[in-house]
Amino acid sequence: MKKALITGITGQDGSYLADLLLDKGYKVYGLKRRTATPNFENIKHIQNEIEFFSGDLRDMTSLAEAVQAIQPDEVYNLAAQSFVGDSWRQPIYTSEVTGLGVTNMLESIRLSKPDARFYQASSSEMFGKVIETPQTENTPFYPRSPYGVAKVYGHWITVNYRESYGMYACSGILFNHESPRRGIEFVTRKVSDSVAKIKLGLQDKLLLGNLDAKRDWGFAGDYVKAMWLMLQQEEPDDYVIATGETHTVKELIEIAFEHVGLNWQDYVVQDARFMRPAEVDILLGDPTKAKKQLNWEPQVNFEQLVKMMVENDLQKYQ
Ligand code: NAP
Ligand code: F7E
């Protein structure tokens, strides 16, 4: 039975990846931070099938002990301070977790299970103020937030460990991916949750920042399959994972409100508090390499994704 260690198992991607690996017959281990109150919302349906290790990406002792004890075949490093907006408010913390945390994980593997296959959750935020469109594996990085800068470090240290020590280390450059398990502060979930509440008379207005930003949004359930595929190849490599379509925040709002029969102009208010000090105006990924080499294809399109999220939040409040 193959053994996989997932950091960030309580998050959106960690939970979908755990579902996938359990389905494939893996023994799944999850690194989890201690919290004062339970934090199992995304994994409550599989909680009893996972073996947890207590740890934090900033504390290498906890990671090294987990790797030593588990001797995993595959390690998926999904843990991060992942909210771009907060990375300006907590830049040092973000660098430590999202940046240096990757080295802590790689060192833990190098010291006691160097043949484990490693996946690093890199991000399209590394392209930031984009040098070219669409973005590919060869597009130079120009990060625009402390989060993006930390992810560039995580990406290059992963490449460096592959080249320095011959480790099977991959960096998946994933564009935005969403789901009903998305954190409430991200724009898609903020919109789906608010639309559901407005429809049910539980909220009056939806306060948002930049409506013109464009993102290449896909479904998280599709994207975790690409993570697994990257670790099943003969050689480790880096891949862009995206849909190849881009949409504005305004289009997202239009579809979400229209789905419940409301006009977004009656409810959406722009609020400077949700604007960012430096914005990423457009992201559009070219997933050709992943399609060819991994045989990966996204199954859920943008409109289906938005409707799925609104439906889920409607059911929750009903
Ligand atoms: P998420 O929902 O925010 O989950 C982040 C996970 O990291 C949570 O389980 C969180 O635990 C854990 N974590 C945070 N700080 C930690 C620390 N110091 N030590 C150990 N664990 C810690 O993020 P996601 O959307 O699933 O994304 C997964 C990964 O992919 C992240 O690295 C993210 O930066 C990256 N990524 C995401 C996207 C996207 O569109 N979703 C795109 C590209 C890359 P708690 O539950 O305890 O907070
Ligand atoms: O913002 C605009 C905002 O916070 C998307 C993370 O998973 O994907 C995610 O990062 C866009 C931005 O995601 C609001 O300015 C407008 O242009 O949903 P978001 P993100 O910053 O793209 C990447 C790939 C990651 O790696 C990250 O971990 O929407 N926007 N008004 C707003 N955004 C938020 N959050 N809230 C608003 O009110």
PDB file of all heavy atoms in Angstrom, residues 147-175:
ATOM      1  N   TYR A 147       2.932  37.203  -0.850  1.00  0.00           N
ATOM      2  CA  TYR A 147       2.584  35.803  -1.118  1.00  0.00           C
ATOM      3  C   TYR A 147       3.267  35.322  -2.403  1.00  0.00           C
ATOM      4  O   TYR A 147       3.895  34.252  -2.424  1.00  0.00           O
ATOM      5  CB  TYR A 147       1.060  35.663  -1.242  1.00  0.00           C
ATOM      6  CG  TYR A 147       0.608  34.314  -1.755  1.00  0.00           C
ATOM      7  CD1 TYR A 147       0.489  33.223  -0.901  1.00  0.00           C
ATOM      8  CD2 TYR A 147       0.305  34.125  -3.107  1.00  0.00           C
ATOM      9  CE1 TYR A 147       0.083  31.977  -1.375  1.00  0.00           C
ATOM     10  CE2 TYR A 147      -0.109  32.890  -3.595  1.00  0.00           C
ATOM     11  CZ  TYR A 147      -0.217  31.820  -2.728  1.00  0.00           C
ATOM     12  OH  TYR A 147      -0.618  30.593  -3.203  1.00  0.00           O
ATOM     13  N   GLY A 148       3.151  36.104  -3.459  1.00  0.00           N
ATOM     14  CA  GLY A 148       3.745  35.715  -4.744  1.00  0.00           C
ATOM     15  C   GLY A 148       5.258  35.573  -4.641  1.00  0.00           C
ATOM     16  O   GLY A 148       5.855  34.637  -5.195  1.00  0.00           O
ATOM     17  N   VAL A 149       5.879  36.483  -3.898  1.00  0.00           N
ATOM     18  CA  VAL A 149       7.334  36.435  -3.724  1.00  0.00           C
ATOM     19  C   VAL A 149       7.727  35.159  -2.977  1.00  0.00           C
ATOM     20  O   VAL A 149       8.671  34.458  -3.350  1.00  0.00           O
ATOM     21  CB  VAL A 149       7.837  37.692  -2.965  1.00  0.00           C
ATOM     22  CG1 VAL A 149       9.317  37.570  -2.627  1.00  0.00           C
ATOM     23  CG2 VAL A 149       7.583  38.949  -3.790  1.00  0.00           C
ATOM     24  N   ALA A 150       6.970  34.822  -1.929  1.00  0.00           N
ATOM     25  CA  ALA A 150       7.268  33.607  -1.152  1.00  0.00           C
ATOM     26  C   ALA A 150       7.099  32.358  -2.021  1.00  0.00           C
ATOM     27  O   ALA A 150       7.875  31.407  -1.920  1.00  0.00           O
ATOM     28  CB  ALA A 150       6.345  33.535   0.072  1.00  0.00           C
ATOM     29  N   LYS A 151       6.089  32.369  -2.899  1.00  0.00           N
ATOM     30  CA  LYS A 151       5.865  31.205  -3.776  1.00  0.00           C
ATOM     31  C   LYS A 151       6.997  31.067  -4.799  1.00  0.00           C
ATOM     32  O   LYS A 151       7.341  29.949  -5.190  1.00  0.00           O
ATOM     33  CB  LYS A 151       4.513  31.311  -4.489  1.00  0.00           C
ATOM     34  CG  LYS A 151       3.328  30.936  -3.611  1.00  0.00           C
ATOM     35  CD  LYS A 151       3.265  29.432  -3.332  1.00  0.00           C
ATOM     36  CE  LYS A 151       2.073  29.059  -2.470  1.00  0.00           C
ATOM     37  NZ  LYS A 151       2.105  27.655  -2.019  1.00  0.00           N
ATOM     38  N   VAL A 152       7.564  32.192  -5.256  1.00  0.00           N
ATOM     39  CA  VAL A 152       8.699  32.111  -6.187  1.00  0.00           C
ATOM     40  C   VAL A 152       9.872  31.426  -5.486  1.00  0.00           C
ATOM     41  O   VAL A 152      10.534  30.549  -6.054  1.00  0.00           O
ATOM     42  CB  VAL A 152       9.108  33.504  -6.711  1.00  0.00           C
ATOM     43  CG1 VAL A 152      10.418  33.424  -7.501  1.00  0.00           C
ATOM     44  CG2 VAL A 152       8.008  34.087  -7.598  1.00  0.00           C
ATOM     45  N   TYR A 153      10.108  31.784  -4.231  1.00  0.00           N
ATOM     46  CA  TYR A 153      11.168  31.120  -3.457  1.00  0.00           C
ATOM     47  C   TYR A 153      10.878  29.615  -3.349  1.00  0.00           C
ATOM     48  O   TYR A 153      11.758  28.770  -3.590  1.00  0.00           O
ATOM     49  CB  TYR A 153      11.274  31.750  -2.057  1.00  0.00           C
ATOM     50  CG  TYR A 153      12.229  30.989  -1.165  1.00  0.00           C
ATOM     51  CD1 TYR A 153      13.603  31.219  -1.219  1.00  0.00           C
ATOM     52  CD2 TYR A 153      11.751  30.010  -0.301  1.00  0.00           C
ATOM     53  CE1 TYR A 153      14.475  30.485  -0.417  1.00  0.00           C
ATOM     54  CE2 TYR A 153      12.608  29.273   0.496  1.00  0.00           C
ATOM     55  CZ  TYR A 153      13.967  29.511   0.433  1.00  0.00           C
ATOM     56  OH  TYR A 153      14.818  28.782   1.206  1.00  0.00           O
ATOM     57  N   GLY A 154       9.645  29.270  -3.012  1.00  0.00           N
ATOM     58  CA  GLY A 154       9.272  27.851  -2.863  1.00  0.00           C
ATOM     59  C   GLY A 154       9.453  27.084  -4.162  1.00  0.00           C
ATOM     60  O   GLY A 154       9.889  25.933  -4.168  1.00  0.00           O
ATOM     61  N   HIS A 155       9.118  27.745  -5.276  1.00  0.00           N
ATOM     62  CA  HIS A 155       9.281  27.108  -6.590  1.00  0.00           C
ATOM     63  C   HIS A 155      10.758  26.816  -6.862  1.00  0.00           C
ATOM     64  O   HIS A 155      11.130  25.688  -7.198  1.00  0.00           O
ATOM     65  CB  HIS A 155       8.719  28.032  -7.679  1.00  0.00           C
ATOM     66  CG  HIS A 155       9.042  27.575  -9.068  1.00  0.00           C
ATOM     67  ND1 HIS A 155       8.300  26.618  -9.732  1.00  0.00           N
ATOM     68  CD2 HIS A 155      10.042  27.917  -9.920  1.00  0.00           C
ATOM     69  CE1 HIS A 155       8.826  26.399 -10.929  1.00  0.00           C
ATOM     70  NE2 HIS A 155       9.885  27.176 -11.070  1.00  0.00           N
ATOM     71  N   TRP A 156      11.605  27.828  -6.672  1.00  0.00           N
ATOM     72  CA  TRP A 156      13.015  27.655  -7.054  1.00  0.00           C
ATOM     73  C   TRP A 156      13.763  26.728  -6.100  1.00  0.00           C
ATOM     74  O   TRP A 156      14.677  26.021  -6.509  1.00  0.00           O
ATOM     75  CB  TRP A 156      13.710  29.012  -7.175  1.00  0.00           C
ATOM     76  CG  TRP A 156      13.388  29.691  -8.473  1.00  0.00           C
ATOM     77  CD1 TRP A 156      12.714  30.856  -8.658  1.00  0.00           C
ATOM     78  CD2 TRP A 156      13.714  29.217  -9.798  1.00  0.00           C
ATOM     79  NE1 TRP A 156      12.584  31.144 -10.001  1.00  0.00           N
ATOM     80  CE2 TRP A 156      13.186  30.153 -10.718  1.00  0.00           C
ATOM     81  CE3 TRP A 156      14.364  28.088 -10.294  1.00  0.00           C
ATOM     82  CZ2 TRP A 156      13.318  30.000 -12.106  1.00  0.00           C
ATOM     83  CZ3 TRP A 156      14.496  27.942 -11.680  1.00  0.00           C
ATOM     84  CH2 TRP A 156      13.979  28.887 -12.560  1.00  0.00           C
ATOM     85  N   ILE A 157      13.372  26.701  -4.827  1.00  0.00           N
ATOM     86  CA  ILE A 157      14.066  25.789  -3.916  1.00  0.00           C
ATOM     87  C   ILE A 157      13.681  24.343  -4.268  1.00  0.00           C
ATOM     88  O   ILE A 157      14.496  23.414  -4.135  1.00  0.00           O
ATOM     89  CB  ILE A 157      13.799  26.137  -2.419  1.00  0.00           C
ATOM     90  CG1 ILE A 157      14.886  25.510  -1.536  1.00  0.00           C
ATOM     91  CG2 ILE A 157      12.438  25.750  -1.943  1.00  0.00           C
ATOM     92  CD1 ILE A 157      16.239  26.123  -1.659  1.00  0.00           C
ATOM     93  N   THR A 158      12.479  24.143  -4.776  1.00  0.00           N
ATOM     94  CA  THR A 158      12.056  22.805  -5.224  1.00  0.00           C
ATOM     95  C   THR A 158      12.878  22.371  -6.436  1.00  0.00           C
ATOM     96  O   THR A 158      13.414  21.259  -6.491  1.00  0.00           O
ATOM     97  CB  THR A 158      10.544  22.817  -5.567  1.00  0.00           C
ATOM     98  OG1 THR A 158       9.826  23.212  -4.392  1.00  0.00           O
ATOM     99  CG2 THR A 158      10.059  21.462  -6.040  1.00  0.00           C
ATOM    100  N   VAL A 159      12.997  23.282  -7.406  1.00  0.00           N
ATOM    101  CA  VAL A 159      13.829  22.998  -8.592  1.00  0.00           C
ATOM    102  C   VAL A 159      15.267  22.731  -8.144  1.00  0.00           C
ATOM    103  O   VAL A 159      15.934  21.803  -8.614  1.00  0.00           O
ATOM    104  CB  VAL A 159      13.780  24.188  -9.582  1.00  0.00           C
ATOM    105  CG1 VAL A 159      14.767  23.993 -10.731  1.00  0.00           C
ATOM    106  CG2 VAL A 159      12.357  24.391 -10.099  1.00  0.00           C
ATOM    107  N   ASN A 160      15.742  23.536  -7.184  1.00  0.00           N
ATOM    108  CA  ASN A 160      17.127  23.400  -6.729  1.00  0.00           C
ATOM    109  C   ASN A 160      17.396  22.048  -6.064  1.00  0.00           C
ATOM    110  O   ASN A 160      18.450  21.440  -6.284  1.00  0.00           O
ATOM    111  CB  ASN A 160      17.472  24.557  -5.786  1.00  0.00           C
ATOM    112  CG  ASN A 160      18.909  24.481  -5.358  1.00  0.00           C
ATOM    113  OD1 ASN A 160      19.205  24.016  -4.260  1.00  0.00           O
ATOM    114  ND2 ASN A 160      19.825  24.874  -6.235  1.00  0.00           N
ATOM    115  N   TYR A 161      16.447  21.565  -5.263  1.00  0.00           N
ATOM    116  CA  TYR A 161      16.666  20.256  -4.618  1.00  0.00           C
ATOM    117  C   TYR A 161      16.639  19.128  -5.652  1.00  0.00           C
ATOM    118  O   TYR A 161      17.321  18.129  -5.512  1.00  0.00           O
ATOM    119  CB  TYR A 161      15.639  20.027  -3.490  1.00  0.00           C
ATOM    120  CG  TYR A 161      16.156  20.546  -2.154  1.00  0.00           C
ATOM    121  CD1 TYR A 161      16.554  21.870  -2.024  1.00  0.00           C
ATOM    122  CD2 TYR A 161      16.275  19.715  -1.054  1.00  0.00           C
ATOM    123  CE1 TYR A 161      17.053  22.357  -0.816  1.00  0.00           C
ATOM    124  CE2 TYR A 161      16.777  20.191   0.159  1.00  0.00           C
ATOM    125  CZ  TYR A 161      17.164  21.508   0.267  1.00  0.00           C
ATOM    126  OH  TYR A 161      17.658  21.973   1.455  1.00  0.00           O
ATOM    127  N   ARG A 162      15.835  19.315  -6.683  1.00  0.00           N
ATOM    128  CA  ARG A 162      15.819  18.317  -7.773  1.00  0.00           C
ATOM    129  C   ARG A 162      17.187  18.283  -8.448  1.00  0.00           C
ATOM    130  O   ARG A 162      17.754  17.219  -8.674  1.00  0.00           O
ATOM    131  CB  ARG A 162      14.726  18.726  -8.774  1.00  0.00           C
ATOM    132  CG  ARG A 162      14.549  17.781  -9.932  1.00  0.00           C
ATOM    133  CD  ARG A 162      13.255  18.111 -10.671  1.00  0.00           C
ATOM    134  NE  ARG A 162      13.344  19.304 -11.500  1.00  0.00           N
ATOM    135  CZ  ARG A 162      12.332  20.165 -11.716  1.00  0.00           C
ATOM    136  NH1 ARG A 162      11.164  19.990 -11.127  1.00  0.00           N
ATOM    137  NH2 ARG A 162      12.484  21.205 -12.498  1.00  0.00           N
ATOM    138  N   GLU A 163      17.721  19.486  -8.733  1.00  0.00           N
ATOM    139  CA  GLU A 163      18.982  19.561  -9.464  1.00  0.00           C
ATOM    140  C   GLU A 163      20.186  19.260  -8.567  1.00  0.00           C
ATOM    141  O   GLU A 163      21.190  18.728  -9.023  1.00  0.00           O
ATOM    142  CB  GLU A 163      19.121  20.947 -10.108  1.00  0.00           C
ATOM    143  CG  GLU A 163      18.067  21.162 -11.192  1.00  0.00           C
ATOM    144  CD  GLU A 163      18.097  22.551 -11.823  1.00  0.00           C
ATOM    145  OE1 GLU A 163      18.895  23.400 -11.357  1.00  0.00           O
ATOM    146  OE2 GLU A 163      17.331  22.773 -12.775  1.00  0.00           O
ATOM    147  N   SER A 164      20.116  19.627  -7.286  1.00  0.00           N
ATOM    148  CA  SER A 164      21.267  19.433  -6.392  1.00  0.00           C
ATOM    149  C   SER A 164      21.385  17.989  -5.916  1.00  0.00           C
ATOM    150  O   SER A 164      22.485  17.452  -5.820  1.00  0.00           O
ATOM    151  CB  SER A 164      21.137  20.321  -5.149  1.00  0.00           C
ATOM    152  OG  SER A 164      20.999  21.659  -5.497  1.00  0.00           O
ATOM    153  N   TYR A 165      20.237  17.390  -5.570  1.00  0.00           N
ATOM    154  CA  TYR A 165      20.273  16.079  -4.908  1.00  0.00           C
ATOM    155  C   TYR A 165      19.613  14.980  -5.724  1.00  0.00           C
ATOM    156  O   TYR A 165      19.474  13.853  -5.244  1.00  0.00           O
ATOM    157  CB  TYR A 165      19.575  16.164  -3.539  1.00  0.00           C
ATOM    158  CG  TYR A 165      20.157  17.218  -2.632  1.00  0.00           C
ATOM    159  CD1 TYR A 165      19.423  18.353  -2.284  1.00  0.00           C
ATOM    160  CD2 TYR A 165      21.458  17.087  -2.131  1.00  0.00           C
ATOM    161  CE1 TYR A 165      19.967  19.331  -1.460  1.00  0.00           C
ATOM    162  CE2 TYR A 165      22.009  18.064  -1.308  1.00  0.00           C
ATOM    163  CZ  TYR A 165      21.256  19.173  -0.974  1.00  0.00           C
ATOM    164  OH  TYR A 165      21.791  20.126  -0.159  1.00  0.00           O
ATOM    165  N   GLY A 166      19.135  15.319  -6.925  1.00  0.00           N
ATOM    166  CA  GLY A 166      18.474  14.311  -7.749  1.00  0.00           C
ATOM    167  C   GLY A 166      17.144  13.858  -7.171  1.00  0.00           C
ATOM    168  O   GLY A 166      16.645  12.772  -7.486  1.00  0.00           O
ATOM    169  N   MET A 167      16.549  14.697  -6.307  1.00  0.00           N
ATOM    170  CA  MET A 167      15.265  14.298  -5.721  1.00  0.00           C
ATOM    171  C   MET A 167      14.142  14.378  -6.764  1.00  0.00           C
ATOM    172  O   MET A 167      14.174  15.213  -7.666  1.00  0.00           O
ATOM    173  CB  MET A 167      14.931  15.209  -4.510  1.00  0.00           C
ATOM    174  CG  MET A 167      15.747  14.830  -3.275  1.00  0.00           C
ATOM    175  SD  MET A 167      15.663  16.028  -1.925  1.00  0.00           S
ATOM    176  CE  MET A 167      13.935  16.045  -1.535  1.00  0.00           C
ATOM    177  N   TYR A 168      13.144  13.505  -6.595  1.00  0.00           N
ATOM    178  CA  TYR A 168      11.971  13.556  -7.473  1.00  0.00           C
ATOM    179  C   TYR A 168      11.056  14.658  -6.906  1.00  0.00           C
ATOM    180  O   TYR A 168      10.196  14.393  -6.070  1.00  0.00           O
ATOM    181  CB  TYR A 168      11.247  12.203  -7.501  1.00  0.00           C
ATOM    182  CG  TYR A 168      10.176  12.127  -8.583  1.00  0.00           C
ATOM    183  CD1 TYR A 168      10.319  11.298  -9.687  1.00  0.00           C
ATOM    184  CD2 TYR A 168       9.022  12.914  -8.509  1.00  0.00           C
ATOM    185  CE1 TYR A 168       9.345  11.229 -10.683  1.00  0.00           C
ATOM    186  CE2 TYR A 168       8.056  12.865  -9.497  1.00  0.00           C
ATOM    187  CZ  TYR A 168       8.225  12.010 -10.580  1.00  0.00           C
ATOM    188  OH  TYR A 168       7.259  11.969 -11.566  1.00  0.00           O
ATOM    189  N   ALA A 169      11.313  15.902  -7.347  1.00  0.00           N
ATOM    190  CA  ALA A 169      10.562  17.053  -6.819  1.00  0.00           C
ATOM    191  C   ALA A 169       9.916  17.802  -7.987  1.00  0.00           C
ATOM    192  O   ALA A 169      10.592  18.164  -8.942  1.00  0.00           O
ATOM    193  CB  ALA A 169      11.504  17.973  -6.051  1.00  0.00           C
ATOM    194  N   CYS A 170       8.602  18.007  -7.881  1.00  0.00           N
ATOM    195  CA  CYS A 170       7.831  18.681  -8.942  1.00  0.00           C
ATOM    196  C   CYS A 170       7.203  19.951  -8.402  1.00  0.00           C
ATOM    197  O   CYS A 170       6.772  20.000  -7.255  1.00  0.00           O
ATOM    198  CB  CYS A 170       6.669  17.815  -9.400  1.00  0.00           C
ATOM    199  SG  CYS A 170       7.158  16.258 -10.112  1.00  0.00           S
ATOM    200  N   SER A 171       7.093  20.930  -9.268  1.00  0.00           N
ATOM    201  CA  SER A 171       6.374  22.150  -8.908  1.00  0.00           C
ATOM    202  C   SER A 171       5.170  22.275  -9.835  1.00  0.00           C
ATOM    203  O   SER A 171       5.321  22.363 -11.049  1.00  0.00           O
ATOM    204  CB  SER A 171       7.335  23.334  -9.064  1.00  0.00           C
ATOM    205  OG  SER A 171       6.638  24.538  -8.971  1.00  0.00           O
ATOM    206  N   GLY A 172       3.979  22.266  -9.239  1.00  0.00           N
ATOM    207  CA  GLY A 172       2.763  22.445 -10.028  1.00  0.00           C
ATOM    208  C   GLY A 172       2.370  23.914  -9.973  1.00  0.00           C
ATOM    209  O   GLY A 172       2.076  24.435  -8.897  1.00  0.00           O
ATOM    210  N   ILE A 173       2.394  24.554 -11.134  1.00  0.00           N
ATOM    211  CA  ILE A 173       2.049  25.988 -11.173  1.00  0.00           C
ATOM    212  C   ILE A 173       0.551  26.077 -11.447  1.00  0.00           C
ATOM    213  O   ILE A 173       0.111  26.097 -12.606  1.00  0.00           O
ATOM    214  CB  ILE A 173       2.876  26.733 -12.236  1.00  0.00           C
ATOM    215  CG1 ILE A 173       4.381  26.452 -12.004  1.00  0.00           C
ATOM    216  CG2 ILE A 173       2.573  28.235 -12.196  1.00  0.00           C
ATOM    217  CD1 ILE A 173       5.288  27.029 -13.082  1.00  0.00           C
ATOM    218  N   LEU A 174      -0.226  26.085 -10.370  1.00  0.00           N
ATOM    219  CA  LEU A 174      -1.674  26.012 -10.507  1.00  0.00           C
ATOM    220  C   LEU A 174      -2.302  27.396 -10.529  1.00  0.00           C
ATOM    221  O   LEU A 174      -1.978  28.261  -9.708  1.00  0.00           O
ATOM    222  CB  LEU A 174      -2.278  25.170  -9.369  1.00  0.00           C
ATOM    223  CG  LEU A 174      -2.342  23.650  -9.637  1.00  0.00           C
ATOM    224  CD1 LEU A 174      -1.003  23.073 -10.054  1.00  0.00           C
ATOM    225  CD2 LEU A 174      -2.947  22.897  -8.493  1.00  0.00           C
ATOM    226  N   PHE A 175      -3.195  27.583 -11.492  1.00  0.00           N
ATOM    227  CA  PHE A 175      -3.990  28.801 -11.561  1.00  0.00           C
ATOM    228  C   PHE A 175      -5.161  28.649 -10.577  1.00  0.00           C
ATOM    229  O   PHE A 175      -5.389  27.563 -10.044  1.00  0.00           O
ATOM    230  CB  PHE A 175      -4.434  29.046 -13.005  1.00  0.00           C
ATOM    231  CG  PHE A 175      -3.302  29.614 -13.858  1.00  0.00           C
ATOM    232  CD1 PHE A 175      -2.138  28.895 -14.054  1.00  0.00           C
ATOM    233  CD2 PHE A 175      -3.391  30.886 -14.406  1.00  0.00           C
ATOM    234  CE1 PHE A 175      -1.070  29.424 -14.790  1.00  0.00           C
ATOM    235  CE2 PHE A 175      -2.341  31.420 -15.149  1.00  0.00           C
ATOM    236  CZ  PHE A 175      -1.183  30.694 -15.346  1.00  0.00           C
TER     237      PHE A 175
END
